[in-house]
Amino acid sequence: MALLSIVRLACLLLLVDLVVLAALAQLVPVLAPALAWLGLAAAWLEAGLRLLAFIAAGRLLAPGGPRGAAVVLSLTPPTFLTLRSLLVPYGAAPALLATAAPAWLALTHGATTAVLLAWAVPAPGAAMGTKSPVAVGRLLALAWAEWPVLGAAFLFLVLAVLGETAGPYCTGKALDAIRQGDGPTTFTIGLVLATDLGSSLFAGCRGGLFTLAQARLKLSTCHRLFSHLMLQDLAFFQGTPAADLSARLANDVPLLCNAVPSSVNVALRSLVTVLGLGGFMVGLSPHLTLLALLEVPLIITMRKVYDARYQVLQQAKLDATANTAAVVQEAISSIETVRTFAGEEEEERRHSRALAKMLELKDQIDVEWALFTLVWRAVQLAVQVLVLWHGHWQLREGTITTGSLVTFLLYQAKVGLHVQTLVFGHGDLLSKAAAGRKVFEYLDREPTGDTGGTWAPATLRGHVTFQHVSFAYPMCAEHLVLQDVSFELHPGEVTALAGLNGSGKSTCAGLLVRFYEPGAGEVLLDGVPLRDYEHHYLHRQVALVGQEPVLFSGTIRDNIIFGLKDCGEKEVRAAAAAAGALGFISALDQGFDTDVGEKGGQLSAGEKQRIAIARALVRRPTVLILDEATSALDGEGEVALQQWVRSSGARTVLLITHCPRMLEAADRVVVLERGTVVEMGTPAELRSCRGPYSRLLQRSPGTGQPENPGVGYGE
């Protein structure tokens, strides 16, 4: 509802109420005996008449407005009078609003206006376009795995609240004893100290257990999210920045996991505290208790307004944080390009803009929290002054002692905070859990990276068949990269894929290692579709070495045996020797224990390539794919690789290269043009035909002809 509609409805209700109450005020002297006989029922009769007038006026002059406003406005006075008569049996007699002071009319309409404002504020999820950012049930289900720790924390919470509740009560009794001249006894002082120390001890145990549950929950959620992400297909990672995923794991998961145990801790502590302290307060003074609870509806309105605003800012801050992390990661990972084009200042400006946006949102959140706290404290102080003023009159009348009043004031200071926390626990939980919206989106995303079937034969020949394969990348589904491609790779043979950049060679390699699934046709290994093979078995039998190999932070040995659980030193050295890497590794001070740095930054391009080849060879694959694996090798490394390829025995080798020497060393060559097979045969047969293969040899580096420029490699 718009602000103008709220003002119009509030003014309408006030005018109608003035007319109705003025008419009732004229009838009160005439009906005085009957009203005195009716007692409390007269207040409810007045409320019914006002409610009928509000509903009739609302339907005629403000259709579509909330009916709850009329109900609150009419029923609040008799409800208060009823509670007062029940809690204070010998208090003042019930009175009609028509004969009450104008301040009571202003109070009821002020409370109703506050309710209308709270009604108009969007719910904590509606401000972001969703009914709820995260369902409370999902948050509780997330924390349920830690129920033993949370159960023990709840036990200590109850004990801590009992001590916290008994402390002010014992303090008040001690003050009464001092006022009466008896003086504090050893038992009284000991009881006060015992309750305070016990409350502190149990509160510490409660906080420690909730912190433990929070840490365990964070660990399990991070592991679950990371494992779930690893099952997604390559299209997901190509469309989602790595920095965004890293920020979700580093920032959003901790915020989400902090929200669940923290909210359970605060909600349970507040509930038990309010019940315990509220019972003591009613026993001390029911009238003062009603006055103390006047702040609840006012805080409800203010907090709902704040929660809706806070959630929007919190989500914007998280997005800005992820964007800042993305800028940093892009700049660092591309530092060579930045240096090449002298773009340091440009990257500094990008980072400054992203950081300024994040800090601006953080400052805005802090300012709005400060304003909310200021208003809340002002309301709380006003209610405390009201309670103190009425407590002063009760002291003069002798209906309450000094110790009881001090105890009540101590309780009120605590209950005010706990009631506010309890009432808004749900909204506060949703506001904090806004950070978990993306986390749950990723967890709800169905794993699209198919890990394969169960077929894992004891022996594998390595016969590969591309059978009428067509394929288009998910990001460009209308553009076919491969069209009806058919060829075979035979065991014991080296088959080379040749073609210009962009002809689909690397796409064939990607299909063979199941980076993608063919859009049409099948890729068969020993006559069985690749999707039927068990995931780990397939990727041990089919190994790929790319043009730009990726090494991980760690030692050379760690990178060679990556993904293997049982690999001895002998196998590692043999693979390194076969890849032509043993010589330079042995020359290093720490040999295989040398740290390669982030992404292998401590090694040259050729050294990284040799380690990548060794990582593939140590698996003793049945099918080996070398995708431009010789591009970064020097002459010695290339000779070693050629010798190994020729002596590979029964292994199937797929070679993707522009190097004429490697092409000529192959047993069979398949030539691709624009995603289709245009030639197949031995190198000698294709040279004699003087077709596409011969033209490729003339374009290849080292033959005096330039390579075709401007075409993306391998796609």
Side-chain angles (χ1 to χ4, degrees):
M1 182 185 296
L3 180 60
L4 183 60
S5 300
I6 296 173
V7 174
R8 184 170 62 248
L9 181 60
C11 293
L12 173 65
L13 293 177
L14 178 59
L15 291 175
V16 172
D17 207 11
L18 288 174
V19 174
V20 173
L21 293 178
L24 291 176
Q26 299 297 324
L27 297 175
V28 168
V30 180
L31 301 176
L35 294 176
W37 179 78
L38 288 173
L40 189 61
W44 287 98
L45 181 60
E46 179 191 50
L49 294 174
R50 295 172 65 220
L51 179 60
L52 292 176
F54 292 149
I55 293 177
R59 288 183 176 178
L60 291 175
L61 303 177
R67 299 289 180 262
V71 175
V72 171
L73 188 58
S74 58
L75 299 186
T76 298
T79 302
F80 175 77
L81 293 173
T82 302
L83 290 174
R84 188 178 69 170
S85 65
L86 293 175
L87 297 175
V88 190
Y90 304 104
L96 297 178
L97 188 60
T99 60
W104 286 102
L105 182 64
L107 179 62
T108 56
H109 280 272
T112 304
T113 303
V115 170
L116 288 174
L117 289 173
W119 184 280
V121 172
M128 300 179 61
T130 58
K131 291 184 178 180
S132 174
V134 179
V136 178
R138 293 210 62 179
L139 297 176
L140 296 179
L142 186 68
W144 180 248
E146 303 300 328
W147 69 265
V149 180
L150 292 175
F154 177 72
L155 174 62
F156 283 109
L157 182 148
V158 174
L159 295 176
V161 171
L162 290 177
E164 185 178 352
T165 305
Y169 182 79
C170 296
T171 302
K173 291 300 182 183
L175 290 175
D176 282 340
I178 295 174
R179 182 177 177 81
Q180 294 171 6
D182 297 336
T185 63
T186 304
F187 175 75
T188 305
I189 295 177
L191 188 60
V192 173
L193 292 176
T195 54
D196 289 341
L197 291 176
S199 176
S200 300
L201 176 62
F202 295 137
C205 294
R206 179 210 69 214
L209 289 173
F210 275 114
T211 302
L212 175 62
Q214 177 179 307
R216 289 166 58 91
L217 185 61
K218 176 184 174 183
L219 179 63
S220 61
T221 305
C222 281
H223 176 73
R224 179 183 170 192
L225 177 60
F226 185 80
S227 301
H228 201 77
L229 292 175
M230 289 296 99
L231 297 179
Q232 303 300 324
D233 60 10
L234 290 184
F236 169 78
F237 294 103
Q238 291 168 352
T240 307
D244 182 74
L245 298 179
S246 177
R248 302 305 173 189
L249 284 166
N251 300 325
D252 294 16
V253 170
L255 284 176
L256 176 65
C257 296
N258 290 350
V260 178
S262 174
S263 297
V264 171
N265 179 10
V266 172
L268 292 178
R269 181 187 64 192
S270 300
L271 177 61
V272 177
T273 301
V274 168
L275 292 178
L277 296 182
F280 276 92
M281 291 174 67
V282 172
L284 291 171
S285 176
H287 184 69
L288 293 180
T289 303
L290 285 176
L291 290 177
L293 293 178
L294 284 178
E295 68 175 284
V296 174
L298 300 176
I299 299 298
I300 288 176
T301 303
M302 295 189 308
R303 188 57 186 254
K304 186 177 181 184
V305 173
Y306 172 77
D307 279 345
R309 180 64 182 162
Y310 173 78
Q311 184 181 317
V312 175
L313 292 176
Q314 173 76 348
Q315 186 60 50
K317 178 190 169 187
L318 290 172
D319 292 340
T321 302
N323 182 51
T324 303
V327 171
V328 173
Q329 180 169 332
E330 288 176 0
I332 294 177
S333 61
S334 307
I335 188 63
E336 294 180 356
T337 304
V338 173
R339 291 282 173 82
T340 300
F341 296 97
E344 293 88 352
E345 294 183 359
E346 174 63 26
E347 291 301 313
E348 289 177 8
R349 286 193 292 269
R350 288 181 60 210
H351 180 260
S352 297
R353 288 194 296 267
L355 189 61
K357 179 65 175 178
M358 183 182 68
L359 294 178
E360 179 185 352
L361 290 169
K362 181 180 181 300
D363 291 342
Q364 191 171 354
I365 291 175
D366 293 340
V367 170
E368 295 194 6
W369 168 251
L371 292 175
F372 168 75
T373 304
L374 177 62
V375 177
W376 168 46
R377 293 289 172 83
V379 172
Q380 194 176 42
L381 180 60
V383 174
Q384 288 176 348
V385 171
L386 182 62
V387 169
L388 187 59
W389 184 71
H390 279 271
H392 169 69
W393 282 103
Q394 289 192 1
L395 277 176
R396 294 181 61 180
E397 295 174 356
T399 56
I400 192 172
T401 65
T402 303
S404 297
L405 180 59
V406 171
T407 301
F408 187 92
L409 294 175
L410 291 174
Y411 283 153
Q412 183 191 2
K414 294 183 178 181
V415 167
L417 176 62
H418 288 297
V419 167
Q420 188 265 351
T421 303
L422 181 61
V423 172
F424 303 110
H426 178 260
D428 186 56
L429 176 62
L430 290 182
S431 296
K432 292 179 180 178
R437 186 171 59 89
K438 273 290 186 181
V439 174
F440 280 115
E441 284 182 10
Y442 289 145
L443 289 176
D444 291 339
R445 182 184 175 90
E446 289 295 328
T448 50
D450 185 10
T451 56
T454 58
W455 182 244
T459 59
L460 196 68
R461 294 177 54 243
H463 181 244
V464 176
T465 304
F466 278 70
Q467 194 174 76
H468 303 290
V469 172
S470 296
F471 175 76
Y473 285 99
M475 303 299 292
C476 301
E478 69 283 355
H479 174 62
L480 286 178
V481 181
L482 297 179
Q483 303 179 46
D484 196 28
V485 170
S486 298
F487 63 87
E488 297 184 14
L489 308 179
H490 298 281
E493 290 187 358
V494 177
T495 302
L497 278 183
L500 298 175
N501 291 336
S503 59
K505 305 185 300 297
S506 293
T507 301
C508 292
L511 293 174
L512 185 51
V513 291
R514 289 205 72 209
F515 286 164
Y516 309 97
E517 289 293 325
E522 291 281 3
V523 181
L524 308 176
L525 178 59
D526 284 1
V528 179
L530 293 180
R531 61 176 174 272
D532 293 340
Y533 283 90
E534 197 274 329
H535 175 71
H536 293 91
Y537 176 85
L538 176 65
H539 288 87
R540 185 157 184 166
Q541 296 295 332
V542 180
L544 167 68
V545 181
Q547 180 179 6
E548 298 180 359
V550 175
L551 300 186
F552 299 93
S553 298
T555 65
I556 293 177
R557 179 182 287 101
D558 293 336
N559 277 275
I560 293 178
I561 65 174
F562 177 75
L564 298 178
K565 296 180 180 179
D566 49 350
C567 187
E569 183 70 18
K570 182 178 180 181
E571 289 85 353
V572 172
R573 297 184 69 86
L582 186 59
F584 86 85
I585 294 176
S586 302
L588 298 173
D589 293 339
Q590 297 181 354
F592 284 92
D593 295 322
T594 301
D595 195 303
V596 301
E598 184 177 1
K599 294 185 178 181
Q602 301 296 328
L603 305 177
S604 68
E607 291 170 342
K608 288 193 293 185
Q609 191 74 276
R610 297 185 192 186
I611 292 176
I613 295 172
R615 181 170 57 193
L617 299 183
V618 77
R619 285 162 166 73
R620 299 180 180 176
T622 304
V623 179
L624 177 65
I625 307 167
L626 300 174
D627 188 356
E628 298 290 351
T630 62
S631 59
L633 296 180
D634 54 18
E636 179 184 353
E638 185 177 324
V639 170
L641 183 60
Q642 289 183 21
Q643 292 176 350
W644 183 89
V645 167
R646 298 312 308 168
S647 61
S648 58
R651 184 177 286 110
T652 302
V653 178
L654 175 62
L655 186 63
I656 300 174
T657 182
H658 289 89
C659 176
R661 292 186 299 275
M662 298 297 290
L663 288 174
E664 289 295 300
D667 298 300
R668 187 179 302 272
V669 177
V670 178
V671 182
L672 297 176
E673 278 189 3
R674 297 183 179 182
T676 60
V677 177
V678 294
E679 271 189 331
M680 282 192 296
T682 65
E685 291 172 349
L686 298 183
R687 280 199 313 275
S688 63
C689 294
R690 299 193 176 278
Y693 178 73
S694 297
R695 293 194 294 272
L696 282 174
L697 291 180
Q698 295 175 0
R699 292 172 178 264
S700 297
T703 62
Q705 297 292 334
E707 195 172 354
N708 185 33
V711 183
Y713 163 71
E715 299 299 335

